[in-house]
Amino acid sequence: MDWLKAMNNAVEYIEDNINEKFDIEKVSKIALSSPFHFQRMYHMITGVTVAEYIRRRRLTLAAQDILSGEKIINVAYKYGYETPESFTKAFKKLHGISPTAAREQGASLKAYPKLSFHISIKGDKDMNYKIVEKGSFKVVGKQKRMTMSGEENFKQVPKFWYDCMADGSYDWLTSKAGKLGVLGVSKDFDKFTDEFNYMIAVEEIKDPLPKGYISATIPAATWAVFESVGPVPEALHELLRRIYSEWMPSTGYQHDCAPDIDVFPIGDMSSPDYRCELWIPVRK
């Protein structure tokens, strides 16, 4: 399968150039993908960002070099750290001990192995979807900057919802919700920092916007629309992983450069029967 081969080729390139400055444009080209799509898919399948994978691999190899007798300062520079202090801090965060302590007999270290991609055909659950063509439209709501690093977005996004419910923003938005309902919009992905903007929004309204609210344009796109059944956010997270690890590789679709949209009808989001939709912009 071309997709599988391309993703593994990208990992091999990363490994062959692990000491070099990371070039996301080159890696994503090898993966036959855009930088946005490659990083998004990589994160959803593996649970870590590309940058985090590289960091862990470098520190795994650094530990081996230290055990072989290389000077710590040389190892630090070899793996891209500007100072021995910054290297020591990163080393301790992964391994739990300092580079010096790693040389002691019996020291316990962590190893993060090289990844490879394989397709697992499960077939235990159907993935029903529909393809929808939708023109450009505007949304209004509240926005916050998030990061995918360390899967922090899986914590930050729910907290943003809870905060908006607590301060009354969610109630105001539900009172203005249009046909689609209340939307969660992930957009403006930064290919260098793993950060993106997340909006809790509704389709554009004519009323003046209160302080702290913004307007944004969603571009025209082709959307793959999936239904999620179950409590939010757990059911959505599981669906996202399946879309990137199962549906996209098996259908030949890939992520297009437009926002992801969660469509939330008014209802009890914690219910095991709650139904919402996930809109993924796609292209063949």
Side-chain angles (χ1 to χ4, degrees), residues 1 7 15 18 35 39 45 63 71 91 105 122 140 159 162 188 210 215 233 247 278:
M1 183 177 290
M7 292 294 284
E15 289 291 326
I18 197 69
Q39 293 187 99
I45 295 174
K71 291 183 178 180
F91 192 94
Q105 185 173 354
K122 298 178 181 179
V140 297
K159 185 180 184 303
Y162 296 146
D188 307 326
S215 173
W247 183 80
L278 181 54

Side-chain angles (χ1 to χ4, degrees), residues 42-184:
Y42 193 100
H43 178 250
M44 286 299 170
I45 295 174
T46 67
V48 297
T49 63
V50 183
E52 178 66 12
Y53 170 74
I54 292 173
R55 186 187 73 83
R56 293 182 186 182
R57 285 292 295 146
R58 284 175 174 173
L59 290 170
T60 295
L61 297 173
Q64 296 173 16
D65 290 345
I66 289 172
L67 291 176
S68 69
E70 290 191 40
K71 291 183 178 180
I72 292 174
I73 189 171
N74 292 341
V75 174
Y77 294 144
K78 177 180 179 180
Y79 291 102
Y81 290 89
E82 295 182 355
T83 65
E85 291 77 17
S86 61
F87 172 68
T88 296
K89 183 178 180 180
F91 192 94
K92 288 181 70 174
K93 184 176 181 181
L94 179 69
H95 295 287
I97 58 176
S98 69
T100 301
R103 285 188 169 141
E104 297 177 5
Q105 185 173 354
S108 178
L109 296 167
K110 294 181 179 179
Y112 194 79
K114 185 182 79 170
L115 293 180
S116 61
F117 293 93
H118 306 272
I119 293 297
S120 175
I121 306 300
K122 298 178 181 179
D124 55 344
K125 292 182 181 179
D126 291 336
M127 294 193 72
N128 297 322
Y129 69 96
K130 57 186 177 182
I131 300 297
V132 174
E133 302 283 347
K134 186 172 176 61
S136 174
F137 65 102
K138 289 187 176 182
V139 297
V140 297
K142 284 199 165 182
Q143 178 172 285
K144 189 171 183 179
R145 196 70 172 162
M146 308 285 179
T147 178
M148 292 200 311
S149 179
E151 294 198 318
E152 281 298 306
N153 55 308
F154 285 165
K155 302 174 184 176
Q156 294 173 344
V157 170
K159 185 180 184 303
F160 186 36
W161 277 87
Y162 296 146
D163 291 344
C164 286
M165 289 177 179
D167 66 17
S169 302
Y170 177 74
D171 290 337
W172 187 85
L173 288 167
T174 56
S175 71
K176 307 294 182 180
K179 182 179 179 181
L180 287 179
V182 181
L183 311 175

